Amino acid sequence: MIRFENVHKAFDTQAVLRDLTFNVERGEMAYITGPSGAGKSTLLKMIFLEEWPDEGDILIDGIHIEDITENDVPFFRRRIGVVFQDFRLLNRTVFENVALTLRIRGEREGYIKESVHETLKMVSLRHKADSYPQYLSGGEQQRVGIARAIIGEPSVLLADEPTANLDPDTAAGIVRIFKEINARGTTIIHATHNRDLFRGTGYRVFRLDSGHIFPEAGL
Amino acid sequence: MSYALSTAISGLWREKWINTLCTFTIAAGLIIMSIALLVVYNVHMVMERMPDRFSVLVFLKDGIDKRPDDLIRNLERIDGVKGVKYISSDEALSDLKAAVDDPDLVLGELEKNPLPASVELRLKREAVNDDQVIAIAKRAEAFEEVDDVHYATSVLRVIQSLQFYAKGTGLALVIVLGVAVLFVSYSTVKILLYRKQDEIDTLKYLGATKGFIRAPFLLEGAFMGCMAGIMALSGLGLIYAATALELSSSLPILKNMEFPFALLLSLPAAGLAIGMTGAHMAVGKIRF
């Protein structure tokens, strides 16, 4: 599903990722861990084409990213859902934030309405559809972010430190939602420095350290 | 499109103060630009009419009282001459009497008519320039019946300087002001863009195309530009009422001022184009 082969990435002369080779299977949930500055976000950014590798090859859902032109980028990104640490919600209602993903795709209003309510129900936020993000708790805001990321039924969901700003109980709730999404067949890559989130889960874990990647078991 | 429209409307409302300020600034720029355009237009109209009023006077030698048909035919044939008019010495005197306030006091003592007969040459529009007027005057002077040739050198110079400076300066002013108005629109949208950079990034990550991201900004720019155009049109209407109608009694030159309403009606469209262009430039090249 996602394969990195000898990927190298540097900013100026500072190498962030060195000779990275790993793969994540379709329908798998994998964790990327490592200390701050280890390159977790850069790795995820290369999957949703915010950054491009200096060397090496990345294959996503059967597509070599070097074959993607600039005009193809928006359409490619629609295959990928992204959940951010800082939520990145717009100053609009919860409904509008979640609907945005479908509006970008030019979906019909009837379908959007039905789909948004269904997705908000999945993250237990249907009753907050008309609320604005600033009146929601951190956990609720992150659930809106997740709803926005999954409403387009992406084949891959990337989560970049989605629980970093949340208390442990709320973080556990977010992880539960990810498990449900994964159970529906969505491939998930979850970057976190919090080892408690994957300890004992059995999911594959990749540790980034000094630009190199090391496989671990999430036991 | 409905998304772009609703986003543009909410954006205009959310940033209403800066948008209002921007609209007023564009309107002020359009008013100044239109005034410069009016000056250029009126100078152009004056220039259009001036050659028609320009003539070369060919004075005949004393003693020629009869209409010199041969000379008139020869003068008509000179390159650049559109038409000729013979003025006998009697006609010249009666014209002079008509022109002075008290002809008996000024001209009553004259024993005989001192004015010579003359031929007035009307020139073709393209011939009203320094070189050709001198050439025509020289050819006319060469005929033996001709005593002297006069033309209004100062009028000729005014025509030439108007052609050379006023039109060019006016147009340069219009262009400079046009660029300034464009810059105002550009700057405002650029400020809005900085404020919305996070939103734009989020849209990009969600798979929005460049057109989807750009559309609300273009609509906002178009709306502000169009409103500014309407305001400028109203402002110019007031200025016209105050100048051409009210002040023309004390400043007669304003009586002849022309106000091209049809041209000025295009101001909202011009404002719309400027607003959209400014917004387009401000959004710039969206990179993924």
Coordinates of all heavy atoms in Angstrom, one line a residue, chain A residues 48-50 52 70-71 73-75 77-78 80 82 84 88 90-92 100-101 103-105 148, chain B residues 2-3 7 10 14 197-210 212 285-288:
Chain A
F48 N 1.5 12.7 1.8 CA 0.5 13.6 1.2 C 1.0 14.7 0.4 O 0.3 15.7 0.0 CB -0.6 14.0 2.2 CG -0.2 15.0 3.3 CD1 -0.2 16.4 3.1 CD2 0.2 14.6 4.5 CE1 0.1 17.3 4.0 CE2 0.6 15.5 5.5 CZ 0.5 16.9 5.3
L49 N 2.3 14.5 0.0 CA 2.9 15.4 -1.1 C 3.1 16.8 -0.7 O 3.1 17.7 -1.5 CB 2.1 15.3 -2.4 CG 1.9 13.9 -3.0 CD1 1.2 14.0 -4.3 CD2 3.2 13.1 -3.1
E50 N 3.2 17.1 0.6 CA 3.6 18.4 1.1 C 5.1 18.6 0.9 O 5.6 19.7 0.7 CB 3.1 18.6 2.5 CG 3.6 19.8 3.3 CD 2.9 21.1 2.8 OE1 2.1 21.0 1.9 OE2 3.2 22.2 3.3
W52 N 8.7 16.5 -0.9 CA 9.1 15.5 -1.9 C 10.5 15.0 -1.5 O 11.3 15.8 -1.0 CB 9.1 16.2 -3.3 CG 7.7 16.6 -3.7 CD1 7.1 17.7 -3.3 CD2 6.9 15.9 -4.6 NE1 5.8 17.8 -3.9 CE2 5.7 16.7 -4.7 CE3 6.9 14.8 -5.4 CZ2 4.6 16.3 -5.5 CZ3 5.9 14.4 -6.2 CH2 4.7 15.2 -6.2
E70 N 2.0 18.4 -10.9 CA 1.4 19.4 -9.9 C -0.1 19.4 -10.0 O -0.8 19.6 -9.0 CB 2.1 20.7 -10.2 CG 2.0 21.6 -8.9 CD 2.3 23.0 -9.1 OE1 3.0 23.3 -10.1 OE2 1.9 23.8 -8.3
N71 N -0.6 19.3 -11.2 CA -2.1 19.4 -11.4 C -2.8 18.2 -10.8 O -4.0 18.2 -10.5 CB -2.4 19.6 -12.9 CG -2.1 20.9 -13.4 OD1 -1.9 21.9 -12.6 ND2 -1.9 21.1 -14.7
V73 N -1.9 16.7 -8.0 CA -1.7 16.7 -6.6 C -3.0 16.8 -5.8 O -3.3 15.9 -5.0 CB -0.7 17.8 -6.1 CG1 -0.7 17.9 -4.6 CG2 0.7 17.4 -6.6
P74 N -3.9 17.7 -6.2 CA -5.2 17.8 -5.4 C -6.0 16.5 -5.5 O -6.6 16.1 -4.5 CB -5.9 19.0 -6.1 CG -5.0 19.7 -6.9 CD -3.8 18.8 -7.2
F75 N -6.0 15.9 -6.7 CA -6.8 14.7 -6.8 C -6.2 13.5 -6.1 O -6.9 12.7 -5.6 CB -7.0 14.4 -8.3 CG -7.6 15.6 -9.0 CD1 -6.9 16.5 -9.8 CD2 -9.0 15.8 -8.9 CE1 -7.4 17.6 -10.3 CE2 -9.6 16.9 -9.5 CZ -8.8 17.9 -10.2
R77 N -4.4 13.9 -3.4 CA -4.7 14.1 -1.9 C -6.0 13.6 -1.5 O -6.3 13.4 -0.3 CB -4.4 15.6 -1.6 CG -3.0 15.9 -1.5 CD -2.8 17.4 -1.2 NE -1.3 17.7 -1.1 CZ -0.8 18.9 -1.2 NH1 -1.6 19.9 -1.3 NH2 0.5 19.1 -1.0
R78 N -7.0 13.6 -2.4 CA -8.3 13.1 -2.0 C -8.4 11.7 -1.7 O -9.4 11.2 -1.1 CB -9.3 13.4 -3.2 CG -9.5 14.9 -3.4 CD -10.4 15.2 -4.6 NE -10.2 16.7 -4.9 CZ -10.9 17.3 -5.9 NH1 -11.7 16.6 -6.6 NH2 -10.7 18.5 -6.1
I80 N -6.2 10.5 0.4 CA -5.6 10.5 1.7 C -6.3 11.4 2.7 O -6.5 12.6 2.3 CB -4.1 10.9 1.5 CG1 -3.4 9.9 0.7 CG2 -3.4 11.0 2.9 CD1 -2.0 10.3 0.2
V82 N -6.0 13.4 6.3 CA -4.9 13.8 7.3 C -5.6 14.4 8.5 O -6.5 15.3 8.4 CB -4.0 14.9 6.6 CG1 -2.8 15.1 7.5 CG2 -3.5 14.4 5.2
F84 N -4.5 16.5 12.0 CA -3.4 17.3 12.4 C -3.4 17.4 13.9 O -4.4 17.4 14.6 CB -3.4 18.7 11.8 CG -3.4 18.7 10.3 CD1 -4.5 18.7 9.5 CD2 -2.2 18.6 9.6 CE1 -4.5 18.7 8.2 CE2 -2.1 18.6 8.2 CZ -3.3 18.6 7.5
R88 N -6.5 22.2 12.8 CA -6.6 22.9 11.6 C -8.1 23.1 11.1 O -8.5 22.9 10.0 CB -5.8 22.3 10.4 CG -4.4 22.6 10.5 CD -3.7 22.1 9.3 NE -2.3 22.5 9.3 CZ -1.8 23.6 8.7 NH1 -2.7 24.4 8.1 NH2 -0.6 23.9 8.7
L90 N -11.5 25.3 10.4 CA -11.8 26.6 9.9 C -12.9 27.3 10.8 O -13.6 26.6 11.5 CB -12.3 26.6 8.5 CG -11.4 25.8 7.5 CD1 -11.9 26.0 6.1 CD2 -10.0 26.3 7.6
N91 N -12.9 28.6 10.8 CA -13.9 29.3 11.6 C -15.3 29.2 11.0 O -15.9 30.2 10.6 CB -13.5 30.8 11.7 CG -14.3 31.5 12.7 OD1 -15.0 30.9 13.6 ND2 -14.3 32.8 12.6
R92 N -15.8 28.0 10.9 CA -17.1 27.7 10.4 C -17.7 26.7 11.3 O -17.1 26.1 12.2 CB -17.1 27.2 9.0 CG -16.6 28.2 8.0 CD -16.3 27.7 6.7 NE -15.4 28.6 6.1 CZ -14.9 28.4 4.9 NH1 -15.3 27.4 4.1 NH2 -14.1 29.3 4.3
L100 N -16.7 20.4 4.0 CA -15.7 21.0 3.1 C -15.0 20.0 2.2 O -14.9 20.2 1.0 CB -14.7 21.7 4.0 CG -13.7 22.7 3.2 CD1 -14.5 23.7 2.4 CD2 -12.8 23.4 4.2
T101 N -14.7 18.8 2.8 CA -14.0 17.8 2.0 C -14.9 17.4 0.8 O -14.4 17.1 -0.3 CB -13.8 16.5 2.9 OG1 -13.1 16.9 4.1 CG2 -13.1 15.4 2.2
R103 N -17.4 19.2 -0.5 CA -17.7 20.4 -1.3 C -16.5 20.6 -2.3 O -16.7 20.9 -3.5 CB -17.8 21.7 -0.5 CG -19.1 21.7 0.4 CD -19.4 23.1 0.8 NE -20.3 23.2 1.9 CZ -21.6 22.8 1.8 NH1 -22.1 22.4 0.7 NH2 -22.4 22.9 2.9
I104 N -15.3 20.3 -1.8 CA -14.1 20.4 -2.7 C -14.3 19.4 -3.9 O -13.8 19.7 -5.0 CB -12.9 20.1 -1.9 CG1 -12.5 21.3 -1.0 CG2 -11.7 19.7 -2.8 CD1 -11.4 21.1 0.0
R105 N -14.9 18.3 -3.6 CA -15.1 17.3 -4.7 C -16.3 17.6 -5.5 O -16.6 16.8 -6.4 CB -15.2 15.9 -4.0 CG -13.9 15.5 -3.3 CD -14.1 14.3 -2.4 NE -13.0 14.2 -1.5 CZ -12.4 13.1 -1.1 NH1 -13.0 12.0 -1.5 NH2 -11.4 13.1 -0.3
R148 N -13.7 15.1 9.3 CA -13.4 15.8 8.0 C -12.4 14.9 7.2 O -12.5 14.9 6.0 CB -12.7 17.1 8.3 CG -12.5 18.0 7.1 CD -11.9 19.3 7.5 NE -10.5 19.1 8.1 CZ -9.8 20.1 8.6 NH1 -10.3 21.3 8.6 NH2 -8.6 19.8 9.1
Chain B
S2 N -21.4 27.8 -5.7 CA -22.2 28.3 -4.5 C -21.3 28.4 -3.3 O -21.4 29.3 -2.5 CB -23.4 27.4 -4.2 OG -22.9 26.1 -3.9
Y3 N -20.3 27.4 -3.2 CA -19.4 27.5 -2.1 C -18.5 28.7 -2.2 O -18.3 29.5 -1.2 CB -18.4 26.2 -2.1 CG -17.3 26.4 -1.2 CD1 -17.4 26.2 0.2 CD2 -16.0 26.8 -1.7 CE1 -16.3 26.3 1.0 CE2 -15.0 27.0 -0.8 CZ -15.1 26.8 0.5 OH -14.1 27.0 1.4
T7 N -18.6 31.7 0.5 CA -17.3 32.0 1.2 C -16.9 33.4 1.0 O -16.5 34.1 1.9 CB -16.2 31.1 0.7 OG1 -16.6 29.7 0.8 CG2 -14.9 31.2 1.4
S10 N -19.3 35.6 3.1 CA -18.9 35.6 4.5 C -17.5 36.3 4.7 O -17.3 36.9 5.7 CB -18.9 34.2 5.1 OG -17.8 33.4 4.5
R14 N -17.0 39.3 7.2 CA -16.1 39.1 8.3 C -15.0 40.2 8.4 O -14.6 40.6 9.4 CB -15.4 37.7 8.2 CG -15.4 37.0 9.6 CD -14.7 35.6 9.5 NE -15.5 34.7 8.7 CZ -15.1 33.8 7.9 NH1 -13.8 33.6 7.7 NH2 -15.8 33.0 7.2
Q197 N -3.9 32.3 5.3 CA -2.9 31.3 4.8 C -3.2 29.9 5.4 O -3.1 28.9 4.7 CB -1.5 31.8 5.1 CG -0.4 31.0 4.4 CD -0.7 31.1 2.8 OE1 -0.8 32.1 2.3 NE2 -0.7 29.9 2.2
D198 N -3.5 29.8 6.7 CA -3.8 28.5 7.3 C -5.0 27.9 6.6 O -4.9 26.7 6.4 CB -4.1 28.7 8.8 CG -2.8 28.9 9.6 OD1 -1.7 28.7 9.0 OD2 -2.9 29.4 10.7
E199 N -6.0 28.7 6.4 CA -7.2 28.1 5.7 C -6.9 27.6 4.3 O -7.3 26.5 3.9 CB -8.2 29.3 5.6 CG -9.6 28.8 5.1 CD -10.6 29.9 5.2 OE1 -10.5 30.8 6.1 OE2 -11.6 29.9 4.4
I200 N -6.0 28.4 3.6 CA -5.6 28.0 2.2 C -4.9 26.6 2.3 O -5.1 25.7 1.5 CB -4.8 29.1 1.6 CG1 -5.7 30.3 1.2 CG2 -4.1 28.6 0.3 CD1 -5.0 31.5 0.8
D201 N -3.9 26.5 3.3 CA -3.2 25.3 3.4 C -4.1 24.1 3.7 O -3.9 23.0 3.2 CB -2.1 25.5 4.6 CG -1.0 26.4 4.2 OD1 -0.8 26.6 2.9 OD2 -0.3 26.9 5.0
T202 N -5.1 24.4 4.6 CA -6.0 23.3 5.0 C -6.8 22.8 3.7 O -6.9 21.6 3.5 CB -7.0 23.7 6.1 OG1 -6.2 24.2 7.2 CG2 -7.9 22.6 6.5
L203 N -7.2 23.8 2.9 CA -7.9 23.5 1.7 C -7.1 22.6 0.8 O -7.5 21.7 0.2 CB -8.4 24.7 1.0 CG -9.5 25.5 1.6 CD1 -9.7 26.9 0.9 CD2 -10.8 24.8 1.6
K204 N -5.8 23.0 0.7 CA -4.8 22.3 -0.2 C -4.7 20.8 0.3 O -4.8 19.9 -0.5 CB -3.5 22.9 -0.1 CG -3.3 24.1 -0.9 CD -1.8 24.4 -0.9 CE -1.5 25.9 -1.1 NZ -0.1 26.1 -0.9
Y205 N -4.6 20.6 1.6 CA -4.5 19.3 2.2 C -5.7 18.4 1.9 O -5.7 17.2 1.9 CB -4.1 19.3 3.7 CG -2.9 20.0 4.0 CD1 -2.8 20.8 5.2 CD2 -1.8 20.0 3.1 CE1 -1.6 21.5 5.5 CE2 -0.6 20.7 3.4 CZ -0.6 21.5 4.6 OH 0.6 22.1 4.9
L206 N -6.9 19.1 1.8 CA -8.1 18.4 1.6 C -8.4 18.1 0.1 O -9.3 17.5 -0.2 CB -9.3 19.2 2.2 CG -9.3 19.4 3.7 CD1 -10.5 20.2 4.1 CD2 -9.4 18.0 4.4
G207 N -7.4 18.5 -0.7 CA -7.5 18.2 -2.1 C -8.2 19.2 -3.0 O -8.7 18.9 -4.1
A208 N -8.2 20.5 -2.5 CA -8.8 21.6 -3.3 C -7.9 21.9 -4.5 O -6.7 21.9 -4.3 CB -9.1 22.8 -2.4
T209 N -8.6 22.2 -5.6 CA -7.8 22.6 -6.8 C -7.5 24.1 -6.6 O -8.0 24.8 -5.8 CB -8.6 22.4 -8.0 OG1 -9.8 23.1 -7.9 CG2 -8.9 20.9 -8.3
K210 N -6.6 24.6 -7.5 CA -6.2 26.0 -7.5 C -7.4 26.9 -7.7 O -7.6 27.9 -7.1 CB -5.2 26.3 -8.6 CG -3.9 25.6 -8.3 CD -2.9 25.8 -9.5 CE -1.6 25.0 -9.2 NZ -0.7 25.1 -10.3
F212 N -10.6 26.2 -7.0 CA -11.5 26.2 -5.9 C -10.9 27.2 -4.8 O -11.7 27.9 -4.2 CB -11.5 24.8 -5.3 CG -12.5 24.6 -4.2 CD1 -13.8 24.2 -4.5 CD2 -12.2 24.8 -2.9 CE1 -14.7 24.0 -3.5 CE2 -13.1 24.6 -1.9 CZ -14.4 24.2 -2.2
K285 N 0.6 32.6 -7.7 CA 0.7 31.2 -8.2 C 0.6 30.3 -7.0 O 1.4 30.3 -6.0 CB 2.1 31.0 -8.8 CG 2.1 29.9 -9.9 CD 3.4 30.0 -10.7 CE 3.8 28.8 -11.4 NZ 2.8 28.3 -12.4
I286 N -0.4 29.5 -7.0 CA -0.6 28.5 -5.9 C 0.2 27.3 -6.2 O 0.1 26.7 -7.2 CB -2.1 28.2 -5.7 CG1 -2.9 29.4 -5.3 CG2 -2.3 27.0 -4.7 CD1 -4.4 29.2 -5.4
R287 N 1.0 26.9 -5.2 CA 1.9 25.8 -5.4 C 1.5 24.7 -4.4 O 1.1 24.9 -3.3 CB 3.4 26.1 -5.1 CG 3.9 27.1 -6.1 CD 5.4 27.0 -6.2 NE 5.9 27.8 -7.3 CZ 6.0 27.4 -8.6 NH1 5.6 26.1 -8.9 NH2 6.5 28.1 -9.5
F288 N 1.5 23.5 -4.9 CA 1.1 22.3 -4.1 C 2.4 21.7 -3.6 O 3.5 21.7 -4.2 CB 0.3 21.3 -4.8 CG -1.1 21.8 -5.1 CD1 -1.5 22.1 -6.4 CD2 -2.0 22.0 -4.1 CE1 -2.8 22.6 -6.6 CE2 -3.2 22.5 -4.3 CZ -3.6 22.8 -5.6

